Amino acid sequence: MRTWQKPHYLVPNKRVRIALWVFFALYLIVGIGSIEVNWLRVYEGLERGGRFIEGFLNPDFTRRATDIYAGILESLTMTVTSTVVGILLSIPFGMGAARNISPRPIYLFCRSFIAVSRSMQEVIVAIFLVALFGFGAFAGFLTLTYATIGFLGKLLAEEIEEIDRKQLEAVTSTGATWLQRMHVAIWPQVMPRMIGLSFYRFDINFRESAVIGIVGAGGIGATLNTSIDRYEYDSAGAILILIILIVLACEYLSGWIRKWVS
């Protein structure tokens, strides 16, 4: 007598499941075979990678101290300003993109803007803005602000759509205005999450400031790229360590504030 087995949660038919595994394996083999690998360059890259790790373990904070300080300060300035402005602008877009509290025309407009904002990676936006406004931190500020609106606006809208409707209905039944409903029934439910997401976006913006700096949008990325191009791996290691420390500090502060708010 055959023992009962729980059906597979995705593909119940065993033959179809095996055929899919065979297809994926063949596709993987063909995909790997189509990649042209220069093994000599891989070998040379391993040597450079070892030198980079050695530089990371023995960082030099003094050789390019002035450039590192200026780059970190510019990245922090871009990050703070873009995060604050992005949060302020994401609140109306997030509320407008919440289906349960917004009229349909406003909902469609805000959702469309958020979708367009999230469809483009920060580096692409930075390249366009650098071409438009020139090299410097202003292009980086606009890039990070634009990305923050799309990121926080979408998550805020989803949080508002998932609130406990009983609180909203209770406040609405008292004849409260729209602003009163937002202040009493909605914001207390979404505020702790919003604070955590804001600090998380701050982390992202600081890391992205290093990336978009490579294409000329200001920040520590330009200094990091210069150090790597000159094979100054100890200076590059120092920059990466500072980035890690700042992100860890933001993570600790975010956890402390979330506990304090909740």
Side-chain angles (χ1 to χ4, degrees):
M1 184 176 64
R2 295 177 58 184
T3 58
W4 181 85
Q5 292 183 348
K6 182 179 179 180
H8 194 270
Y9 63 97
L10 284 179
V11 185
N13 191 303
K14 185 176 181 180
R15 292 182 178 178
V16 175
R17 199 161 62 244
I18 294 175
L20 287 174
W21 277 114
V22 172
F23 172 77
F24 289 142
L26 292 175
Y27 180 80
L28 185 63
I29 293 172
V30 173
I32 294 176
S34 65
I35 300 175
E36 297 181 1
V37 181
N38 187 335
W39 293 106
L40 177 60
R41 185 172 180 82
V42 171
Y43 175 76
E44 295 174 350
L46 290 176
E47 181 183 359
R48 287 193 294 269
R51 288 162 52 195
F52 179 80
I53 295 175
E54 182 181 356
F56 184 81
L57 297 176
N58 299 280
D60 184 359
F61 294 90
T62 59
R63 180 188 302 178
R64 304 181 65 85
T66 303
D67 294 336
I68 293 175
Y69 174 78
I72 290 289
L73 183 61
E74 190 171 55
S75 282
L76 285 174
T77 302
M78 279 196 312
T79 301
V80 172
T81 54
S82 63
T83 303
V84 172
V85 175
I87 291 171
L88 294 177
L89 294 177
S90 68
I91 291 174
F93 277 101
M95 292 190 299
R99 190 191 302 269
N100 56 338
I101 65 171
S102 299
R104 185 166 181 79
I106 296 177
Y107 167 79
L108 292 176
F109 171 77
C110 292
R111 277 288 178 178
S112 299
F113 180 87
I114 290 173
V116 172
S117 174
R118 290 174 53 81
S119 66
M120 292 184 290
Q121 216 275 338
E122 284 88 341
V123 174
I124 299 174
V125 179
I127 292 173
F128 171 75
L129 292 176
V130 166
L132 193 63
F133 297 106
F135 295 100
F138 183 65
F141 162 76
L142 293 178
T143 300
L144 298 177
T145 300
Y146 181 72
T148 300
I149 295 172
F151 178 85
L152 289 179
K154 174 178 169 35
L155 295 178
L156 176 59
E158 293 177 352
E159 285 293 317
I160 294 176
E161 290 177 346
E162 295 175 0
I163 63 171
D164 183 3
R165 296 189 61 86
K166 294 180 180 179
Q167 296 185 32
L168 181 60
E169 292 172 357
V171 174
T172 303
S173 65
T174 65
T177 64
W178 186 85
L179 287 176
Q180 289 173 333
R181 293 198 299 269
M182 288 295 302
H183 179 68
V184 177
I186 296 178
W187 275 112
Q189 297 188 56
V190 302
M191 182 62 73
R193 177 67 171 163
M194 185 65 179
I195 292 175
L197 290 173
S198 298
F199 275 94
Y200 178 54
R201 186 63 216 186
F202 181 89
D203 295 349
I204 296 175
N205 284 347
F206 184 74
R207 294 195 299 269
E208 288 296 333
S209 70
V211 177
I212 64 177
I214 297 176
V215 297
I220 192 61
T223 307
L224 177 62
N225 189 47
T226 301
S227 298
I228 294 176
D229 288 342
R230 296 180 178 179
Y231 302 105
E232 298 174 357
Y233 295 131
D234 48 0
S235 296
I239 295 172
L240 292 177
I241 288 174
L242 289 174
I243 293 174
I244 293 171
L245 290 177
I246 292 173
V247 171
L248 289 176
C250 293
E251 181 67 22
Y252 174 79
L253 182 61
S254 171
W256 182 82
I257 290 179
R258 283 199 301 267
K259 290 181 181 178
W260 178 71
V261 171
S262 58

